[in-house]
Amino acid sequence: MWVAIDMRTVGILFVALTLAGTAVAGSLEDGAEALARGDYATALRLLRPLAENGNPDAQINLGNMYFDGNGVPQDNAESVKWYLLAADQGSADAQIALGFLYEYGEAVPQDYVQAHKWFDLAGSDLYRDTLAAKMTPAQIVEAQKLAREWKPK
């Protein structure tokens, strides 16, 4: 049975499916597998140390857990923190997730300029261009400027 889904759900599913194909051997892979099967306690135990040590894939997974409240209390601020840490390292998956959060005002105030910036940085022309149709020319110029000036940390 097919169910209609909105663009926010499409974006989150995109990130989840992308991560499923990018896990590496060891604790990250085990953590991602635990997350996929709903064993959130194991996922958290395996992913948190990796995320705290700067692994962007683990950071995205933790961001997803906090966004959805899977195995942890639902916490928008904590979710955004982990997405930003991964995005600041240049993770396109995290940048796309942030783009959707800003576009739809989920966990952050709605901000098309920030959404456009993150989609642009991720190299997601489709999402960026779809969003641009909702923006003024001045907003697009501002978003492009922010993307040009952005530097990974």
Side-chain angles (χ1 to χ4, degrees):
M1 177 177 139
W2 289 96
V3 177
I5 55 177
D6 61 28
M7 286 304 292
R8 175 185 164 272
T9 304
V10 170
I12 292 169
L13 288 173
F14 169 81
V15 171
L17 291 173
T18 302
L19 289 177
T22 61
V24 295
S27 295
L28 179 61
E29 182 178 72
D30 295 340
E33 288 173 3
L35 189 58
R37 69 175 178 269
D39 182 357
Y40 302 123
T42 299
L44 186 63
R45 179 177 52 78
L46 295 173
L47 294 172
R48 181 173 296 281
L50 294 169
E52 289 171 347
N53 286 318
N55 182 297
D57 291 330
Q59 290 168 339
I60 295 167
N61 278 301
L62 274 187
N64 291 340
M65 290 176 74
Y66 280 103
F67 184 81
D68 294 325
N70 289 331
V72 295
Q74 195 282 329
D75 186 332
N76 288 341
E78 192 71 8
S79 174
V80 171
K81 173 187 106 173
W82 291 112
Y83 290 142
L84 281 170
L85 286 169
D88 282 343
Q89 296 181 69
S91 168
D93 295 330
Q95 292 166 343
I96 288 171
L98 285 167
F100 279 109
L101 293 180
Y102 278 107
E103 180 176 2
Y104 294 102
E106 297 278 342
V108 294
Q110 186 176 44
D111 185 333
Y112 288 167
V113 170
Q114 285 296 315
H116 189 286
K117 174 191 84 174
W118 287 117
F119 288 146
D120 196 12
L121 290 169
S124 179
D125 296 344
L126 174 63
Y127 298 140
R128 184 200 62 218
D129 294 347
T130 300
L131 176 64
K134 302 177 192 178
M135 298 171 67
T136 67
Q139 287 175 312
I140 294 169
V141 168
E142 182 182 353
Q144 291 170 333
K145 179 180 182 265
L146 290 174
R148 275 192 315 273
E149 293 172 351
W150 180 84
K151 303 277 188 257
K153 295 181 180 167

